[in-house]
Amino acid sequence: MPIPMQVARWNKAGLNRVTRHIAPWMPGFGLIVHRGRRSGREYRTPVEVFQARDGFIVALTYGADTDWLRNIQASGGGLLRTRGLTFQVSEPRVYHDEERAGIRPAERRMLRLLDVADFVHLKAVLRHSS
């Protein structure tokens, strides 16, 4: 079972407000910029991100039923800011991987301890510097 949704609510109310300012620059993290499905409002969600051959892998630490993921699925994509760069991301593909392939060894161990084995692959195209 991924991290409980109550923790996600606490993060949304507090920790995310801080981490969304450093996530676009911090190694291993990024910021998903997406629009609300109903509100049309822009949101910025910090995520744990791993580079893939044609894009990025994002660990779904709260499971696949998160607002940011549903928003990019509904719109077909969004932006990912990571390592000081901005990427247009599209074609979100959710998958389950008990082996956590494509994840760095230290993070693979941590995700295993947290019982996180759901991910989303995002195709990415470099847009511009952040």
Side-chain angles (χ1 to χ4, degrees), residues 78-98:
L79 297 177
L80 172 65
R81 294 188 176 138
T82 185
R83 291 174 275 147
L85 300 171
T86 299
F87 296 85
Q88 179 70 46
V89 293
S90 62
E91 301 179 42
R93 183 180 56 84
V94 176
Y95 64 97
H96 184 82
D97 180 9
E98 291 288 336

Side-chain angles (χ1 to χ4, degrees), residues 96-115:
H96 184 82
D97 180 9
E98 291 288 336
E99 298 301 316
R100 296 155 187 90
I103 308 302
R104 295 178 298 265
E107 288 91 342
R108 185 179 307 134
R109 284 189 292 280
M110 181 58 69
L111 292 172
R112 186 173 289 119
L113 286 172
L114 295 171
D115 197 25

Side-chain angles (χ1 to χ4, degrees), residues 49-66:
V49 64
F50 306 93
Q51 194 159 7
R53 189 167 17 118
D54 60 346
F56 293 92
I57 297 168
V58 177
L60 296 174
T61 52
Y62 300 110
D65 192 32
T66 60

